Amino acid sequence: MPFRRPLLPLALAAALALQPGPALAHGPASVQVQASLTAPKVVQTVAGPVTELVLANGLKVILKENHAAPVVTWVVTYKVGSRNEPLGATGSAHLLEHMLFKGTRTLGKGQVAQILDRNGADSNASTWVDWTNYYETYSSDRLELGLIIESARMREALILDSERKSEMTVVRNELERGESNPSRILYQHLMSTAFRSHPYHHPTIGWRSDVETVPTSQLKRFYDTYYRPNNAVAVLVGDFKTADAIQLIRRYFERFPKGPTPPAVRTVEEPQTGERRFTLRRRGETNMVMLGWHTPQASHHDIGPLLVLDSILSTGVTGRLYQAIVETELATSAYSDVGLMRDPSLFRMGATLKPGGDHAKVEAALTGELEKLKTAPVSPDELAKAKAQAEAAYVYENEGTAGLAHALASYEAIAGWQRNFTLLDEIKRTSAADIQRVAKAYFGGDGRTVGWYVATNDGPVPPPPPNFGGGQATANEAKVQPAPLYPFEQRLPARRQLTPPVRRVLANGLTLIVLPNPGSQTVALDGQIWAGELHEPAEKDGLAGATAAMLPNGTARRNKLALAGDLERVSASVSFSGGTHLTDVAGNCLAKDLDVMLDALAEMLMQPTFPADELAKLKARWVAAIRRAEDQPATHVARAFAQAVYPPTHPYHQDDAATDIRAIEALTRADLEAFHRRYYGPNTTTLVLVGKVDPADVIARLDSKLAGWAPAQLVKHEVPDAPPGAPRKVIVPMPDKTNVEVKVGHAIGLRRRSPDYHAAQIGNYVLGGDPLSSRLGLRLRDELGLTYGTYSSISGSLGPGAWSGSLTVNPANVATGLSELKQVVARYLREGIGARELTFAKSAFIGSQAVGLASNGGMASSLAGIELHGLGLDYWGRYPGLIGGLTAAQVNAAVRRYVHPQAAHTIMVGPLKEEAKP
């Protein structure tokens, strides 16, 4: 899919009216409104009333009002995916998805991304085996935004041959990136082995030779066949009035005629009559086992019991797979998954082995857990827990606009949208006998497919997949023109008046921030503790991370299993993760289970026991994860960049994997106890809770639960700027990869509290903050077809940051990619930001704030950052003014202060022959 990172915080729309370019009318120029085929029908569900109607042209529309936040999510899903592709044209659905970002009759090349970005939308598209969807989440006062974009894409796409040629090389780069991912490779082989005749055999991204050679005429035929209103569903969830939304949807979409019924997929997979096996051997450190069994389609009545069975196997620490495989140290992780597809699919199980692990033993352990489900009924407690987790998952999903919108759209494509809710009823009705029945029915040996991923560093390097097109990118120099402006962009977005958060410093010194969100049914937890890597004694690398990771592994009151069991029984969570300066705290729960989460949090913070046996297991899993990460080019890029930018004495310098492993293996229980005693205390901790809470009640509860927690040593390290050094070129050969990761950059002195922080972020956003609409994206991706993703970053937090530019390219395009990246940066530094670019960047930043604050988790995370950097609890209200007041001179000065390409180090990782230089 065209990759888009979520935008930073969202619009200075008043300034948009001053920008050049035509303003379009408030809708399509010539619209013939017809009568709907059916009257709107309201269906009562566990998520509340849902409205359904079918337009005269066959477009199904599903609407669900949700006024918790001033945003809407709009999803248009076409019932076409890789299962609909003919032989020789695999990957057509995915490549076509990319082409719908390349221009329509009313929106030119790149203008879809422009419009969405300047309105602060969180948007993307995705292709799967059964469907292709396009989606946007944005401020609800500009309801037409998504309708304008998706109506243009439905029947007005241009699909130019020149654009197809350049975008093909972008998609090929995406395909090559996936070939560096062991899990993805193993999954693709499992599907192509388990399915012989059905098109689920093919990878969604397509076979490489098809991607490179599919003609534009084939894509146009595919588009005309499947991109019709009668083969689509439109879903709108969020802050709107149903009657108003229906009127707009009819206005934009009823002008398209109904098309012929698309051809049905008639191929049915023959029953598998014997076990199938394969082994993949690749260089690296990753060893995995993956198994699959044929199971029914998503509409089948056995899917509910299979989902409960899946929960019993793999939900959390108390899940059977964790207890049987991870806890016994056969593997470092294990999972199961129900394939919910339109046609019969696969139930999968898998595990990642520990270093030196035995594939056969892990396979036997996985299948052994299924055999147990066949022979003995699950206990009432285990069954009740699985059902409670499923119900909680529905509440979490329905909490925001995006999750519910995507669920309704994808279920409509595979089994009807109401399946999203009827499945919950089936889960509630599932009995222990049902679990045994489906286990016996579907998990026999003859229907099993087994894949082993075997890491080896011996013998010759396997050849990379053939580059049928030579790997060279195809350029398309057509420039992106300014997108049209719409009347709703010429007004400031409506802003919801949030209840002010309550901030208290408790008697023991803990800082607590509480924000009630009365319309919610959940509570999100966020926060931080001043106990990061900078607090570690010399030669104790990893101590902060190990201490944080061990907190859930046992307290004075409950051991790990009991603690996890109580949380998982109500689908609540509490987690800790060590970072450079801080240890982060996160969690969530249903509002009714707040006490369960707070009790666990208090125990973990105050009474951890750091059991020696659990520490040994943690270290083994950690070491295994470090070794597996060595298979990923991104790991080597990040390490080589940190080593080039920061000298060995600097706190931000990164050691090599062997050094990290030695330090971790040397950690002791006494080390963790001492670190916790010294740095974990109420005076070093900030907690934020957002959701269905009463501030006074939460303050009283935590005051009681954390009473007696002794203060700790509060240390806030000041990190110096990195000394400048001569630019270095570092090449890390990974000969078995098909792609090269490139990064250039250098250290800078920017910090979050620097006066020019916002100016630097705006400047970077225009340079390379978005892979579709930034200057780097437009040149390297859109015009030259060099890369799937290119970015720049100007970072800075508690300590000094760095500037960097990055891209991934085929080995044949490394020199061109580097040269073009440097040229774009040099031109930006020379010219500065344009007036139009500045206005739209401001709009994007201010507008995206509404999207970022649309969930309890988003608000909690934002408040934790506000407190950390001392920005003040009025920051949300001041933010539009801070961004809106920036001038071009301020932005240009910040970019030129921090970006110096002539001082940049160059890191390249991939199938390159040159050895790494010291």
Side-chain angles (χ1 to χ4, degrees):
M1 70 180 110
F3 178 72
R4 302 167 66 80
R5 291 185 299 180
L7 293 177
L8 297 173
L10 291 200
L12 264 211
L16 298 180
L18 304 177
Q19 300 306 308
L24 297 191
H26 197 56
S30 176
V31 180
Q32 174 102 25
V33 178
Q34 307 172 36
S36 294
L37 184 64
T38 63
K41 176 176 65 175
V42 178
V43 180
Q44 294 298 327
T45 73
V46 294
V50 175
T51 300
E52 175 196 289
L53 73 154
V54 179
L55 304 187
N57 57 16
L59 176 67
K60 180 174 284 191
V61 180
I62 302 166
L63 305 108
K64 173 70 177 74
E65 293 187 28
N66 179 349
H67 303 284
V71 299
V72 294
T73 296
W74 171 251
V75 184
V76 174
T77 297
Y78 297 91
K79 298 178 182 180
V80 56
S82 56
R83 73 189 283 275
N84 303 95
E85 297 164 347
L87 288 174
T90 63
S92 294
H94 177 252
L95 181 53
L96 181 60
E97 173 218 307
H98 278 242
M99 293 300 295
L100 265 67
F101 284 81
K102 308 298 286 185
T104 72
R105 288 201 296 270
T106 54
L107 297 173
K109 174 181 178 177
Q111 292 184 347
V112 166
Q114 270 189 47
I115 295 167
L116 292 170
D117 288 349
R118 75 190 183 205
N119 284 281
D122 181 4
S123 61
N124 209 329
S126 59
T127 305
W128 184 226
V129 293
D130 296 316
W131 44 255
T132 306
N133 68 15
Y134 303 83
Y135 52 92
E136 301 88 23
T137 299
Y138 50 92
S139 178
S140 56
D141 70 315
R142 42 206 64 207
L143 184 60
E144 288 177 83
L145 174 63
L147 281 66
I148 292 169
I149 300 294
E150 299 313 331
S151 62
R153 287 203 271 214
M154 179 170 279
R155 292 301 313 141
E156 298 175 348
L158 296 178
I159 315 179
L160 302 176
D161 188 57
S162 58
E163 296 291 351
R164 194 273 307 170
K165 289 176 180 177
S166 62
E167 196 64 19
M168 178 279 291
T169 59
V170 171
V171 172
R172 184 177 62 200
N173 182 251
E174 181 183 359
L175 186 152
E176 291 166 345
R177 287 159 56 109
E179 289 169 350
S180 295
N181 186 319
S183 296
R184 181 169 178 171
I185 296 169
L186 187 57
Y187 172 77
Q188 288 182 351
H189 278 76
L190 186 80
M191 294 296 287
S192 62
T193 303
F195 289 95
R196 294 288 177 85
S197 51
H198 192 280
Y200 287 162
H201 170 90
H202 308 302
T204 302
I205 201 167
W207 302 115
R208 186 187 183 103
S209 57
D210 290 355
V211 171
E212 292 186 323
T213 60
V214 63
T216 304
S217 57
Q218 165 65 28
L219 295 183
K220 288 183 176 180
R221 284 195 299 273
F222 202 78
Y223 177 74
D224 286 336
T225 300
Y226 294 103
Y227 278 65
R228 298 283 185 175
N230 49 304
N231 195 47
V233 56
V235 178
L236 182 66
V237 177
D239 183 33
F240 62 88
K241 293 181 180 179
T242 297
D244 294 342
I246 290 174
Q247 184 177 9
L248 282 173
I249 291 168
R250 293 182 61 193
R251 183 179 186 187
Y252 278 98
F253 287 91
E254 279 196 326
R255 60 198 175 109
F256 300 125
K258 185 175 184 177
T261 301
V265 174
R266 303 189 185 283
T267 304
V268 176
E269 183 70 19
E270 296 86 355
Q272 186 170 324
T273 56
E275 182 184 84
R276 298 172 187 169
R277 285 184 170 270
F278 65 92
T279 300
L280 298 178
R281 299 187 188 277
R282 298 288 180 102
R283 291 222 162 190
E285 301 288 342
T286 301
N287 287 279
M288 296 181 294
V289 171
M290 189 180 292
L291 304 95
W293 288 263
H294 293 274
T295 47
Q297 67 275 15
S299 59
H300 196 276
H301 59 81
D302 279 343
I303 292 297
L306 284 168
L307 287 169
V308 178
L309 182 149
D310 171 49
S311 180
I312 290 167
L313 286 173
S314 61
T315 300
V317 171
T318 58
R320 292 194 179 194
L321 294 183
Y322 187 97
Q323 289 297 309
I325 297 172
V326 179
E327 195 69 26
T328 59
E329 301 186 82
L330 283 173
T332 59
S333 64
Y335 64 90
S336 61
D337 174 68
V338 180
L340 293 177
M341 298 181 183
R342 180 168 179 165
D343 298 329
S345 180
L346 289 187
F347 181 97
R348 292 184 302 125
M349 297 176 71
T352 301
L353 280 60
K354 69 175 184 178
D358 187 311
H359 286 77
K361 287 183 179 179
V362 171
E363 179 189 328
L366 288 167
T367 56
E369 290 306 309
L370 285 178
E371 293 303 315
K372 291 176 184 176
L373 289 172
K374 295 179 185 178
T375 57
V378 298
S379 70
D381 284 348
E382 196 173 22
L383 186 62
K385 183 192 76 170
K387 292 181 179 182
Q389 289 166 336
E391 291 184 53
Y394 271 84
V395 174
Y396 290 131
E397 185 173 78
N398 295 339
E399 186 78 353
T401 63
L404 180 58
H406 281 287
L408 294 174
S410 58
Y411 272 111
E412 173 61 28
I414 61 175
W417 67 266
Q418 294 192 51
R419 188 69 175 134
N420 183 48
F421 304 110
T422 60
L423 259 178
L424 183 58
D425 294 331
E426 292 178 14
I427 287 168
K428 291 178 178 179
R429 293 197 301 267
T430 296
S431 66
D434 290 327
I435 301 297
Q436 275 190 293
R437 177 180 57 78
V438 296
K440 291 176 181 178
Y442 300 112
F443 301 134
D446 283 346
R448 179 170 61 203
T449 301
V450 183
W452 289 7
Y453 190 102
V454 179
T456 176
N457 290 306
D458 300 325
V461 176
N467 290 339
F468 292 95
Q472 294 289 343
T474 302
N476 175 9
E477 298 283 359
K479 302 295 183 183
V480 174
Q481 301 301 317
L485 294 168
Y486 298 94
F488 59 76
E489 294 183 279
Q490 298 179 23
R491 61 176 182 265
L492 287 169
R495 300 184 66 83
R496 180 179 66 159
Q497 294 299 314
L498 294 170
T499 304
V502 174
R503 182 182 183 275
R504 292 285 188 276
V505 178
L506 303 185
N508 60 11
L510 182 136
T511 300
L512 178 62
I513 299 174
V514 186
L515 177 62
N517 184 6
S520 171
Q521 296 299 314
T522 67
V523 180
L525 165 70
D526 209 302
Q528 59 263 332
I529 304 164
W530 287 95
E533 295 163 4
L534 296 182
H535 298 81
E536 297 168 347
E539 308 303 322
K540 296 291 183 183
D541 288 348
L543 179 55
T547 303
M550 280 292 292
L551 295 181
N553 284 352
T555 70
R557 288 187 54 222
R558 291 179 279 185
N559 63 21
K560 180 179 78 171
L561 191 59
L563 197 57
D566 289 342
L567 286 168
E568 291 170 10
R569 192 168 293 110
V570 297
S571 203
S573 67
V574 178
S575 63
F576 304 86
S577 57
T580 304
H581 292 264
L582 306 157
T583 286
D584 292 319
V585 185
N588 58 40
C589 66
L590 301 181
K592 65 183 180 63
D593 300 315
L594 178 61
D595 235 29
V596 176
M597 182 178 74
L598 294 183
D599 282 341
L601 172 69
E603 284 184 45
M604 294 177 193
L605 289 172
M606 297 174 62
Q607 302 174 321
T609 53
F610 304 110
D613 58 337
E614 295 294 344
L615 177 59
K617 296 173 186 175
L618 173 69
K619 292 196 294 184
R621 291 195 294 271
W622 199 349
V623 167
I626 291 173
R627 288 177 172 156
R628 286 198 308 276
E630 293 297 289
D631 291 345
Q632 299 296 327
T635 300
H636 296 275
V637 169
R639 181 191 300 128
F641 185 74
Q643 290 178 346
V645 169
Y646 303 108
T649 55
H650 195 277
Y652 292 171
H653 182 87
Q654 285 188 22
D655 293 324
D656 58 31
T659 302
D660 286 340
I661 288 172
R662 285 195 298 271
I664 290 166
E665 290 177 336
L667 292 176
T668 66
R669 180 173 179 268
D671 293 331
L672 273 63
E673 287 180 319
F675 187 83
H676 177 268
R677 186 166 51 250
R678 186 172 186 181
Y679 295 112
Y680 279 70
N683 58 316
T684 64
T685 301
T686 295
L687 297 177
V688 180
L689 289 108
V690 177
K692 190 175 182 179
V693 290
D694 174 69
D697 175 62
V698 172
I699 292 168
R701 291 196 205 195
L702 282 174
D703 223 356
S704 172
K705 295 178 189 296
L706 298 176
W709 192 14
Q713 183 176 348
L714 178 59
V715 180
K716 300 181 180 181
H717 291 276
E718 292 295 328
V719 178
D721 291 351
R728 299 168 58 188
K729 179 181 180 182
V730 180
I731 296 178
V732 182
M734 298 188 77
D736 60 323
K737 303 302 181 184
T738 57
N739 216 248
V740 179
E741 298 250 6
V742 180
K743 188 167 188 172
V744 300
H746 56 79
I748 60 176
L750 181 70
R751 290 163 169 80
R752 178 60 184 83
R753 298 182 73 173
S754 298
D756 56 358
Y757 176 83
H758 289 304
Q761 296 306 311
I762 287 283
N764 177 74
Y765 176 77
V766 172
L767 173 59
D770 185 279
L772 294 185
S773 62
S774 67
R775 290 201 185 185
L776 282 173
L778 291 175
R779 179 59 179 164
L780 273 69
R781 176 175 169 143
D782 256 15
E783 294 177 10
L784 299 179
L786 286 167
T787 179
Y788 175 67
T790 179
Y791 309 95
S792 65
S793 170
I794 296 180
S795 64
S797 186
L798 291 169
W803 169 75
S804 66
S806 62
L807 72 156
T808 61
V809 288
N810 184 280
N813 300 318
V814 172
T816 304
L818 260 176
S819 174
E820 290 290 342
L821 186 151
K822 292 176 181 178
Q823 289 181 50
V824 172
V825 174
R827 181 179 177 185
Y828 186 50
L829 290 171
R830 186 171 63 250
E831 296 177 348
I833 192 170
R836 188 181 182 90
E837 289 176 319
L838 177 60
T839 298
F840 290 158
K842 290 178 180 181
S843 175
F845 272 56
I846 298 171
S848 65
Q849 189 182 49
V851 176
L853 301 181
S855 68
N856 292 337
M859 288 188 285
S861 176
S862 178
L863 286 170
I866 287 170
E867 177 67 22
L868 175 64
H869 296 291
L871 303 178
L873 292 182
D874 62 343
Y875 179 73
W876 288 346
R878 291 187 294 109
Y879 183 79
L882 293 173
I883 298 299
L886 291 172
T887 66
Q890 290 172 316
V891 172
N892 291 334
V895 173
R896 289 164 182 156
R897 180 178 299 120
Y898 296 118
V899 180
H900 304 285
Q902 71 279 5
H905 307 279
T906 301
I907 314 297
M908 293 185 283
V909 178
L912 303 172
K913 295 181 179 179
E914 187 176 350
E915 293 296 324
K917 289 181 170 57

